Amino acid sequence: METSIAAFVKERRRMFNLTQVDLAEKSGVGLRFVRELEQGKETLRIDKINQVLALFGHEVGAVPQHLNSSTSQHHNI
């Protein structure tokens, strides 16, 4: 089961009994950023996402895409 970053952050924030304000202050980002992150806004800065995720011992990174077994896709650079 895949979890979105938005759901992960919201779940972890609640797990540690943090408000959005607490999370913003502890991670050094603005409250608006935390709200947009938890709402799943698609155009957020990765460095700021990583600032938030670092509180929970995680970071955004390159991961392999899940390919449908019936279609083989190769990306040439």
Side-chain angles (χ1 to χ4, degrees):
M1 177 181 180
E2 290 185 30
T3 302
S4 71
I5 293 173
F8 176 84
V9 169
K10 187 181 288 188
E11 176 186 303
R12 290 297 169 108
R13 178 177 61 77
R14 290 177 176 167
M15 184 185 305
F16 289 97
N17 295 316
L18 299 171
T19 65
Q20 288 181 333
V21 172
D22 294 334
L23 182 58
E25 289 175 357
K26 289 183 183 294
S27 63
V29 300
L31 177 58
R32 178 178 173 183
F33 182 85
V34 170
R35 288 181 176 155
E36 290 176 342
L37 177 59
E38 288 192 0
Q39 291 169 358
K41 183 176 178 183
E42 294 183 10
T43 56
L44 294 174
R45 289 179 38 185
I46 291 175
D47 62 327
K48 288 188 172 234
I49 294 171
N50 279 334
Q51 277 182 248
V52 174
L53 292 178
L55 289 176
F56 308 122
H58 287 73
E59 68 180 10
V60 174
V63 296
Q65 294 178 340
H66 297 284
L67 298 177
N68 184 333
S69 60
S70 65
T71 60
S72 178
Q73 298 176 351
H74 297 282
H75 300 282
N76 296 321
I77 297 178

